[in-house]
Amino acid sequence: MPAGEGNGDGGAVPEPQVPARFEFATAQRIVFGAGVRRELPALVTGFGRRVLFVGGADPRRHGELLAALAAAAQAVEVFGVAGEPTVAVVEEGARCARATGCTVVVAVGGGSALDAGKAIAALATNPGAALDYLEVVGRGRALPETPLPFIAVPTTAGTGAEATRNAVLAVPEARVKVSLRSAAMLPRVALIDPELALGLPAAVTAATGMDALTQLIEPYLSCRANPMTDALCRESIGRVARALPRAVAAPDDLAARSDLALGALHSGMALANAGLGAVHGFAAPIGGLFPAPHGAVCAVLLAPVLRANLAALRGRAPRHPVLARLADVARWLTGDPAAPAEAAADFCAQLARRLGLPSLGAWGVRPADVPAIVEKAAAASSMKGNPLPLTPAELAAALASEL
């Protein structure tokens, strides 16, 4: 933001300072473009010729890729993941990888398949159980051994899992979703072909796209933001906001799919290095307690959390630099250079409605559930990135507004 530009309270905002220390880590190699899926066999066999292929409930639907890998590799073992991965599922996948002598893991699919593949690659080489390494409900130990090489091939544009260092896993007995996390889990290759998302159903496009948008906005507002993540968010917030309605309306619009794929990649790179915020703090416990898709939860909570942050900042920290950043977000979303900070939340609420995303109540969340969700959300790792701590009352009000 230019030096001296107003922040809405009548004062001048100084040029943002470069943090005294920050780091940036992402996939070792990124290959992006329409048709690049055809490069997968050569990329995979550079790491080994015994492949564990991780896909969704029906991995065989990726017949083109499986056939190409089978022709190039010595052996290809197929492992399907129905729904979001659980601890038990990824432990089974790790046993499969070890038993078949796999030397490289390839995951093709949405965020669930990519997270499953990432966790399987990590657990295949490390002793003990997944709970030894899980955050929050596990022991949180560091991985002592390097994971198997992992290649991520996303077929949706949302989670950014192709560029993150964590895998989100469900722990059904604790009714929560938590992360297995290590910098060593970053993919060796992220292969992003927008053609793989052509024809994706509108509901999936909407939910995953809103997840990507949230993952661009929250890192930009995060207390851990840095100049490199800022650049990614600045590039793609408006890009995703414009492309998402187009892709929902026209599933075969390759230009829109390409914009969403790039935005999702940028969102993964940003969140992996700047963190997230209260939207994702809520999403983890809600996803563990209710059958609500992650992106749909983010979609409906983005606007109320933005409003809660804006009110808290104005009330408790009226000269906080994130107030100016909220105005940046509003301008990029709306395309209006004079848009006030409030316009960011208004735009996100209208977009979620336009895309037909349901309220939390549609997934079974009730007012009586609010205290338990707030308590669990407060302990979520994503909350650490929120620009300032929100009180339990502020969190409860934001959540209740969407029931």
Side-chain angles (χ1 to χ4, degrees), residues 113-375:
L114 268 55
D115 277 353
K118 200 182 303 180
I120 289 167
L123 295 174
T125 60
N126 281 282
L131 282 172
D132 291 331
Y133 310 108
L134 280 182
E135 298 175 346
V136 184
V137 298
R139 298 173 184 86
R141 295 175 180 168
L143 296 174
E145 304 295 336
T146 302
L148 289 175
F150 173 62
I151 296 177
V153 186
T155 60
T156 65
T159 67
E162 65 271 19
T164 62
R165 64 185 80 192
N166 70 302
V168 179
L169 305 178
V171 187
E173 57 271 27
R175 299 188 71 195
V176 71
K177 293 178 186 176
V178 293
S179 281
L180 175 63
R181 189 186 310 271
S182 170
M185 291 170 60
L186 285 160
R188 299 290 186 91
V189 180
L191 185 73
I192 301 118
D193 186 341
E195 289 182 350
L196 291 173
L198 292 175
L200 197 68
V204 178
T205 301
T208 55
M210 286 297 292
D211 189 19
L213 185 61
T214 304
Q215 291 171 177
L216 290 162
I217 292 173
E218 287 203 300
Y220 188 70
L221 304 179
S222 170
C223 58
R224 293 170 46 203
N226 67 64
M228 294 185 71
T229 59
D230 285 353
L232 295 166
C233 298
R234 184 182 302 115
E235 170 67 25
S236 282
I237 286 174
R239 181 188 299 273
V240 169
R242 291 186 296 271
L244 182 51
R246 289 164 39 214
V248 168
D252 291 322
D253 184 335
L254 182 58
R257 294 293 183 187
S258 297
D259 280 347
L260 289 180
L262 183 62
L265 171 65
H266 285 173
S267 81
M269 296 168 75
L271 77 87
N273 292 282
L276 291 160
V279 177
H280 278 80
F282 275 130
I286 291 172
L289 292 167
F290 302 93
H294 174 79
V297 173
C298 292
V300 296
L301 287 178
L302 181 53
V305 167
L306 286 173
R307 291 190 181 106
N309 277 327
L310 181 59
L313 289 163
R314 285 178 171 169
R316 300 201 296 275
R319 297 191 64 78
H320 198 292
V322 169
L323 284 166
R325 287 176 170 252
L326 276 163
D328 289 340
V329 171
R331 290 193 292 271
W332 299 332
L333 289 171
T334 64
D336 178 2
E342 292 87 348
D346 293 342
F347 180 94
C348 292
Q350 291 165 8
L351 181 59
R353 287 195 296 270
R354 178 181 174 186
L355 298 176
L357 289 155
S359 69
L360 294 178
W363 303 106
V365 185
R366 300 291 179 259
D369 300 314
V370 168
I373 294 172
V374 168
E375 182 180 1

Side-chain angles (χ1 to χ4, degrees), residues 7 29 31 57 59 78 92 100 117 132-133 158 190 192 206 270 272 289 301 322 324 344 368 386 391:
N7 67 358
R29 182 177 179 188
V31 182
V78 179
E92 180 187 353
T100 56
D132 291 331
Y133 310 108
I192 301 118
L289 292 167
L301 287 178
V322 169
N386 210 60
T391 67

